[in-house]
Amino acid sequence: MIGETYGAVLAGGRSRRLGGKSKPLLRWGGGVLLSHALGVVRAVLPRVLVISSDPSLDGYGERVPDRWVGAGPLGGIHAALSAGAGQYCFVLACDMPLVPPELVALLVRQAQPPYVAVVPRVGPHWEPLCAVYSTCLAARAAALVSRGIRKVTALFDGLPVRAVEEPTLCQFGAPERLFLNINTREDYRRARALVQEACPGD
């Protein structure tokens, strides 16, 4: 449901395991992780928000601060769902640079009632930071965060969710590659190596 969907890139977090460096501003390709993630989502959706309380990111697009600083990704998802005008919001963490626009488009196309979310799932493991959420979940997200709950999957637990399973995901590449997220220097090196393997001339 592309016409009823906007995007949001989560660009919060303290990057402790990266030596204090700002994760959204790590170099990636010809830019940084944040600009890359925004480009991926903008290839599919015309409006994309930057979810962060860091004013130094204002130059990258329409920034929406977290209501609960330090609440983790669920707090960022709450900010995303509360800020847009649309029935659904596609959410992508800025530290998942191997997600292609084609996967974003597939997930967005599958977002329609009665589903409150469209989420990739590899075996028993959900990938909730590359997923589509109904904006009707904003109140539920607020309630969870206010109770100290940080687990993102609690947002859709027990509700009608469309799972995008491994056989479908594999058309875009191995799931362990697609959903690699950068939390450490080793993750960063591995992600860069994977890109160079795919594009040796770059």
Side-chain angles (χ1 to χ4, degrees):
M1 190 177 286
I2 289 179
E4 296 292 331
T5 306
Y6 61 97
V9 172
L10 303 184
R14 299 181 183 177
S15 308
R16 291 188 187 94
R17 288 180 285 175
L18 285 164
K21 290 188 176 181
S22 173
K23 188 186 298 187
L25 299 181
L26 282 176
R27 301 300 301 174
W28 188 266
V32 296
L33 283 178
L34 177 55
S35 60
H36 173 79
L38 288 168
V40 168
V41 184
R42 285 172 179 157
V44 180
L45 299 168
R47 186 186 183 204
V48 186
L49 308 175
V50 176
I51 308 300
S52 176
S53 295
D54 183 354
S56 72
L57 303 182
D58 282 347
Y60 289 90
E62 183 181 356
R63 184 176 64 87
V64 175
D66 295 312
R67 175 179 172 185
W68 289 281
V69 177
L74 186 56
I77 291 173
H78 167 264
L81 300 183
S82 302
Q87 187 172 354
Y88 288 96
C89 177
F90 171 77
V91 173
L92 179 66
C94 75
D95 63 356
M96 300 176 73
L98 303 182
V99 171
E102 293 80 8
L103 175 56
V104 177
L106 180 143
L107 296 173
V108 170
R109 285 196 303 268
Q110 297 197 34
Q112 56 186 303
Y115 300 109
V116 299
V118 180
V119 189
R121 184 170 62 188
V122 182
H125 302 293
W126 297 96
E127 296 292 344
L129 301 186
C130 174
V132 186
Y133 296 96
S134 169
T135 52
C136 74
L137 292 174
R140 179 167 176 150
L144 290 168
V145 173
S146 65
R147 287 160 44 200
I149 296 173
R150 300 291 184 264
K151 189 176 182 181
V152 178
T153 54
L155 185 58
F156 52 83
D157 187 35
L159 299 176
V161 177
R162 174 170 278 177
V164 179
E165 306 281 3
E166 193 166 353
T168 299
L169 297 171
C170 284
Q171 67 182 291
F172 306 107
E176 62 270 20
R177 181 187 188 279
L178 285 174
F179 303 115
L180 175 66
N181 64 309
I182 296 173
N183 288 314
T184 66
R185 292 179 183 274
E186 180 55 37
D187 294 335
Y188 184 45
R189 286 192 290 267
R190 182 183 173 208
R192 289 167 64 93
L194 285 170
V195 169
Q196 289 180 355
E197 286 176 13
C199 306
D202 289 352

